[in-house]
Amino acid sequence: MDKNYRALELDKILEMVAKETTCEDGAEMARAIEPVHTAQEARRLLEETDTAFVLMAKFGAPSFYGMKNVTNALRRAQAGGGLGLRELLDIGGTLRAIRSLQQWHGKNAGMHTVLSPRFDILAPNKALEEKIFTCIQSEEEVSDAASPALASIRRKIRGAAARVREHLDRLIHSQAHQKHLQEAIVTQRGGRYVVPVKAEFRGEVPGLVHDSSASGATVFIEPMGVVELNNEIRVLRSDEQEEISRILRELSGEAGGFADSLIESYQYAVQLNVIFAKAQLAYRMKAVVPEIDEKGRTDLRGARHPLIAADKVVPTDIVLGEGFDALIITGPNTGGKTVALKTLGLLSLMAMCGLMTPAGEGSRVPVYRHILADIGDEQSIEQSLSTFSAHMVNIIRILEVADSGSLVLLDELGAGTDPVEGAALATAIIEELRRKGVRLACTTHYAELKSYALETDGVENACCEFDVESLRPTYRLLIGVPGKSNAFAISRRLGLSGRIVERAGELVSQESSSFERVVERLEERRRELEGELEAARKAAQQARESMRQTEAKQAEAGLRAKREIQQAREEAARIVQKTRQQADALLNELDELRRRENKSLSAEQKARLRAGMRDLESSADPVAKRNQEGYRLPRDLRPGDDVLIFDIDKKATVLEAPKEGQVLVQAGIIKTRVQVGNLRLLGEKQREKGRPGRTVTKDVSTPEATTSLDLRGMNVEEGLLEVDAFLDHAARAHVPQVTIIHGKGTGVLRAAVQRHLRRCPQVKGFRLGAYGEGESGVTVVEIK
């Protein structure tokens, strides 16, 4: 890896990526990642990482478990060679991983992404995969299911072995041979079944001696009665090995036939493994995709060095290339200057490698041809180089390579030699690098460089903030503010004699003292402004929170009001319904009494009773009527006019001319008499007079679906008209069942309604009401 990249610790970041991979080739590919040097390539790599990041967030990470580099084994199989059990199992595991990847992509990522071409190239071979795992149980054993011949041979071996053990069990348990045996067990020597016999009785057990114990006290004899059976087992074992070899050759041949597609699939799977490892690392770092800037501008917001623990790292803002091309960072030691320098370089390299950067949204970085760094103490004893000399060797190399597409990072520029000469040399180096058009960031303690930055266009001061009270750095990088060494203040806080500190102050040159005082005043003013800005931010946040709470309360109050109005309307409807039922019951009773006396109420008496009912409804309605607002009809109402019933905001049609200040109207399926003063005449898109800003049209919105119709008090002709309109509305509203209330009375209206229902196309069936539904006073209708 390039020395500059190693100085910025890119190798450690790539090692973190390698640890997120699941196969050795993926880890090696991650460690070998190199920064790209064009904006187009960087955007492509970042888009791949971002796509993997999004897919992981939506569907979880795909599994790459089981992938192995089987290229050599496949090439050998392709050339006709045989593969071992372990190699075939590795091929099967790789095939399973490839199939798992393709299934994951097909199931979860239906849309086309920049990663889709890689997934599409994957070529699983489920048949070969299943055959390998069916035939091979482990790297030491082939399954009986590998072939019928193998299963038959092993069955014969088990049968022959059982017969041998049966014969030998009889021998070791026989009384004749009990004293001849060292132990009453059956064992094996050289793949043949034998029994342990005492050496002095070896002639008492006829058979073949295969082995003896280390002490010579025991000999292992194969009795003559099982020699043939053992020979049979030996032949079967040989057949078994031949069949296993044939099976492995067959599997090897099939694997070799798919070698090219499998090797290609594996290579793309490794690439996907690395891309998803980048995304996994971004998830752990809480990183974002930076914008790639083609004008050489860096704007890192809340940047965090990825190698510092998350609970210790301090986010910092770094700007370069916008208004200035050189940044001079000053401040005390251990204040975070070098960390800021490394963060700038490392995050730029990460973006160029296609890695998301641990920074805030909206961050942007350019792509550089060269990132050159001289960071750290590279004193070399072997080359007889001092610290200053080592730095100069690096800077000379940097000056030779640097151009307009370079980012140069210099730590402690000019340090390690005489301060006057070091400051002059540092200034000259900065001027030369700026002449080459580089983007430059360097750290220093020299006051001369602070002054140079103040006096030179395109060069900006920056410092790492230091809290003198606690003697601790805050690690915040402040752009535009020269750093203050704070040596006197720190020494005083640590307990150095005030007399010594004062004397040191007297020895400092007048110019240096003046400069430090200016810097101190700037720092005080910056802190004041920062405090005011923070207070303003808090006030704005509180105002936004108050506004949000107010809006939430208003919305809640509105919903509560709507609910209360709805409850009131429902209660009013209930009261009106109850009142109407009571009035209807009264009318029915009166009709029944008149019928018994062969008399009937006159039309005038019925009209008075109905008027009384309306008065009863009005007095029982708890909902306040809307203000009439002095409206006058522009002309007399005529049948067919479209009107608005003002107090309930309902459109209706005039059916009859007004009589005695009332008019009969139809609203939806309901006919009712309304006071003329409660009506508003509607025209085609005519604005309602007396109520500016409200426009009503002739449209009649679909009425709300109701499930009951009350015909009581109507004659047969009126009732059947109402039934037709009611059923038509119910059918359009897809109401499955409705109730028609006709009362019991003489039964004339009920009979007429039921005859009419038989002819209605909307009716599927009907029945009289059951107990609790109104019995013979209602008809329950099922709608088609």
Side-chain angles (χ1 to χ4, degrees):
M1 177 177 286
D2 186 282
K3 178 181 179 182
N4 297 286
Y5 302 164
R6 195 176 297 277
L8 293 170
E9 300 176 297
L10 177 63
D11 56 318
K12 295 180 180 178
I13 301 297
L14 298 182
E15 186 60 37
M16 294 170 70
V17 177
K19 288 180 180 178
E20 298 294 340
T21 60
T22 56
C23 63
E24 284 299 323
D25 286 351
E28 288 301 319
M29 185 180 289
R31 295 185 186 101
I33 292 174
E34 288 286 338
V36 297
H37 301 290
T38 66
Q40 183 178 0
E41 289 180 296
R43 287 195 187 97
R44 178 181 60 80
L45 293 176
L46 285 170
E47 185 181 5
E48 290 176 351
T49 306
D50 185 47
T51 300
F53 186 88
V54 172
L55 291 175
M56 285 171 57
K58 286 183 177 180
F59 311 115
S63 173
F64 294 89
Y65 177 77
M67 284 204 318
K68 298 286 181 64
N69 189 343
V70 291
T71 303
N72 291 337
L74 287 169
R75 292 302 183 201
R76 195 166 69 252
Q78 192 177 36
L83 303 180
L85 295 177
R86 180 71 265 168
E87 291 173 317
L88 287 168
L89 285 174
D90 287 344
I91 291 172
T94 302
L95 284 169
R96 179 179 290 170
I98 290 171
R99 180 169 59 87
S100 172
L101 283 173
Q102 193 182 61
Q103 288 178 343
W104 179 89
H105 180 256
K107 179 180 179 181
N108 298 324
M111 60 182 182
H112 184 81
T113 67
V114 294
L115 299 181
S116 295
R118 287 187 173 88
F119 279 105
D120 293 340
I121 288 174
L122 300 180
N125 189 332
K126 189 175 181 181
L128 178 58
E129 172 198 336
E130 290 181 346
K131 189 170 184 179
I132 289 174
F133 287 114
T134 299
C135 293
I136 304 175
Q137 287 186 335
S138 69
E139 56 184 297
E140 297 176 352
E141 183 178 1
V142 175
S143 170
D144 289 358
S147 74
L150 182 62
S152 175
I153 291 170
R154 287 181 172 173
R155 191 164 50 251
K156 291 178 182 178
I157 291 174
R158 288 190 292 271
R163 291 195 297 274
V164 170
R165 294 187 66 88
E166 182 182 356
H167 183 92
L168 294 178
D169 281 343
R170 287 198 303 269
L171 185 147
I172 63 178
H173 291 101
S174 68
Q175 293 295 328
H177 293 293
Q178 283 290 327
K179 63 179 181 178
H180 304 149
L181 300 177
Q182 194 72 261
E183 290 181 87
I185 62 172
V186 177
T187 184
Q188 282 188 333
R189 285 295 184 273
R192 302 178 76 87
Y193 288 97
V194 296
V195 293
V197 179
K198 296 177 182 177
E200 60 269 25
F201 295 114
R202 60 188 300 174
E204 300 297 328
V205 180
L208 304 176
V209 177
H210 285 277
D211 198 5
S212 63
S213 65
S215 63
T218 304
V219 291
F220 297 93
I221 296 177
E222 178 185 7
M224 294 303 297
V226 297
V227 171
E228 286 301 321
L229 288 174
N230 272 329
N231 288 339
E232 181 183 351
I233 292 173
R234 178 64 65 88
V235 171
L236 289 171
R237 291 287 184 193
S238 177
D239 293 343
E240 178 189 27
Q241 289 303 315
E242 288 182 5
E243 179 62 16
I244 289 174
S245 297
R246 186 195 66 77
I247 292 168
L248 295 183
R249 285 195 303 273
E250 182 180 332
L251 290 175
S252 300
E254 288 192 40
F258 293 100
D260 292 334
S261 64
L262 182 51
I263 291 170
E264 184 182 32
S265 297
Y266 172 75
Q267 290 170 348
Y268 279 99
V270 171
Q271 293 178 23
L272 288 169
N273 189 202
V274 174
I275 292 171
F276 278 92
K278 290 180 180 179
Q280 186 66 39
L281 181 63
Y283 175 78
R284 296 187 188 282
M285 289 183 176
K286 297 180 180 179
V288 301
V289 177
E291 177 187 343
I292 298 299
D293 188 280
E294 296 191 37
K295 296 183 178 180
R297 297 171 298 186
T298 296
D299 183 6
L300 294 172
R301 304 175 184 180
R304 308 178 302 277
H305 195 289
L307 297 178
I308 300 177
D311 58 341
K312 295 180 180 179
V313 67
V314 177
T316 188
D317 297 338
I318 304 175
V319 179
L320 181 63
E322 189 160 7
F324 56 90
D325 54 23
L327 191 63
I328 310 298
I329 306 174
T330 53
N333 288 328
T334 71
K337 300 191 303 299
T338 303
V339 171
L341 211 61
K342 284 188 172 184
T343 301
L344 171 60
L346 183 55
L347 266 58
S348 298
L349 284 172
M350 288 176 66
M352 292 162 63
C353 290
L355 292 164
M356 296 163 68
T357 55
E361 293 287 349
S363 296
R364 59 183 176 180
V365 293
V367 173
Y368 297 104
R369 274 195 299 273
H370 307 288
I371 294 184
L372 307 169
D374 176 43
I375 296 176
D377 185 0
E378 298 192 11
Q379 184 174 208
S380 173
I381 296 176
E382 292 181 359
Q383 299 179 17
S384 300
L385 295 177
S386 65
T387 299
F388 175 76
S389 300
H391 280 299
M392 279 301 105
V393 168
N394 281 338
I395 290 172
I396 291 168
R397 175 182 55 82
I398 289 171
L399 287 168
E400 292 173 351
V401 177
D403 57 18
S404 59
S406 300
L407 171 66
V408 177
L409 306 171
L410 303 176
D411 191 26
E412 300 293 352
L413 180 60
T417 188
D418 178 75
V420 175
E421 293 181 357
L425 190 58
T427 303
I429 291 171
I430 292 173
E431 289 178 345
E432 176 62 18
L433 289 171
R434 292 192 66 221
R435 188 186 65 78
K436 289 176 175 285
V438 306
R439 295 290 186 268
L440 170 67
C442 66
T443 66
T444 184
H445 287 285
Y446 292 140
E448 290 85 349
L449 292 183
K450 302 177 194 177
S451 301
Y452 173 75
L454 289 171
E455 297 169 356
T456 308
D457 291 337
V459 183
E460 187 62 84
N461 272 305
C463 72
C464 288
E465 191 178 42
F466 190 87
D467 187 352
V468 179
E469 296 299 322
S470 64
L471 298 180
R472 290 183 179 179
T474 65
Y475 300 106
R476 292 179 55 210
L477 185 67
L478 306 175
I479 306 292
V481 180
K484 191 171 180 289
S485 68
N486 295 308
F488 293 167
I490 293 172
S491 300
R492 192 185 297 274
R493 289 281 298 172
L494 291 174
L496 187 64
S497 170
R499 182 171 56 83
I500 297 175
V501 174
E502 291 170 4
R503 176 57 182 160
E506 294 172 0
L507 295 175
V508 175
S509 68
Q510 184 66 28
E511 289 184 2
S512 296
S513 298
S514 299
F515 182 79
E516 289 295 324
R517 284 195 296 272
V518 170
V519 170
E520 187 173 353
R521 285 196 297 272
L522 285 172
E523 178 67 10
E524 290 175 357
R525 181 58 180 158
R526 182 195 64 78
R527 288 179 179 173
E528 290 175 4
L529 292 174
E530 197 171 67
E532 293 173 3
L533 179 60
E534 184 62 26
R537 285 175 178 166
K538 288 182 179 178
Q541 179 64 26
Q542 290 174 354
R544 286 193 295 269
E545 183 64 21
S546 298
M547 184 178 294
R548 187 189 64 77
Q549 292 176 357
T550 302
E551 290 175 351
K553 289 179 180 178
Q554 288 178 345
E556 184 180 355
L559 289 173
R560 190 163 54 247
K562 288 181 179 179
R563 285 196 297 269
E564 290 175 355
I565 291 172
Q566 182 64 25
Q567 290 172 359
R569 289 186 182 277
E570 291 173 357
E571 180 65 17
R574 187 187 63 78
I575 295 172
V576 168
Q577 181 67 19
K578 182 178 178 182
T579 305
R580 178 176 288 167
Q581 289 174 353
Q582 292 173 349
D584 285 342
L586 179 61
L587 277 176
N588 288 335
E589 289 178 8
L590 288 173
D591 283 342
E592 182 67 20
L593 289 173
R594 295 300 183 189
R595 185 181 64 77
R596 289 176 183 176
E597 297 177 4
N598 294 321
K599 295 181 180 180
S600 61
L601 291 173
S602 65
E604 184 178 352
Q605 288 174 320
K606 287 187 176 181
R608 281 201 303 273
L609 282 171
R610 289 194 181 99
M613 286 168 54
R614 286 193 292 272
D615 293 339
L616 188 60
E617 290 176 6
S618 299
S619 62
D621 189 355
V623 180
K625 303 298 184 182
R626 296 167 62 184
N627 187 4
Q628 300 296 322
E629 300 179 1
Y631 174 80
R632 289 182 179 276
L633 288 169
R635 60 174 175 80
D636 292 338
L637 295 175
R638 297 189 293 269
D641 283 344
D642 290 330
V643 292
L644 178 74
I645 304 175
F646 183 77
D647 59 352
I648 63 173
D649 198 25
K650 188 74 174 177
K651 294 177 184 178
T653 303
V654 175
L655 298 178
E656 296 178 358
K659 293 180 181 179
E660 299 178 359
Q662 293 186 337
V663 61
L664 179 65
V665 298
Q666 181 166 351
I669 64 171
I670 303 298
K671 291 180 181 178
T672 183
R673 291 189 178 274
V674 183
Q675 294 290 332
V676 173
N678 192 31
L679 296 178
R680 301 289 185 270
L681 183 63
L682 301 180
E684 189 67 26
K685 297 188 177 178
Q686 173 189 358
R687 290 190 176 276
E688 182 182 343
K689 295 184 179 180
R691 300 188 62 208
R694 174 164 182 166
T695 303
V696 292
T697 66
K698 202 172 179 180
D699 291 314
V700 177
S701 60
T702 301
E704 296 180 0
T706 59
T707 59
S708 65
L709 172 64
D710 193 348
L711 302 180
R712 288 175 296 184
M714 299 182 187
N715 58 34
V716 171
E717 185 179 2
E718 290 176 344
L720 294 183
L721 287 173
E722 291 293 331
V723 168
D724 282 339
F726 176 64
L727 293 177
D728 181 67
H729 173 70
R732 285 189 285 110
H734 303 290
V735 177
Q737 181 175 292
V738 296
T739 302
I740 299 176
I741 306 170
H742 41 62
K744 297 179 181 178
T746 61
V748 174
L749 184 58
R750 177 181 68 238
V753 167
Q754 293 186 351
R755 282 196 304 273
H756 187 68
L757 291 175
R758 290 188 181 94
R759 297 192 298 269
C760 288
Q762 303 98 327
V763 176
K764 181 179 180 182
F766 61 90
R767 61 177 174 80
L768 286 175
Y771 180 77
E773 292 180 326
E775 302 178 342
S776 62
V778 302
T779 296
V780 180
V781 183
E782 291 184 22
I783 306 297
K784 291 182 180 177

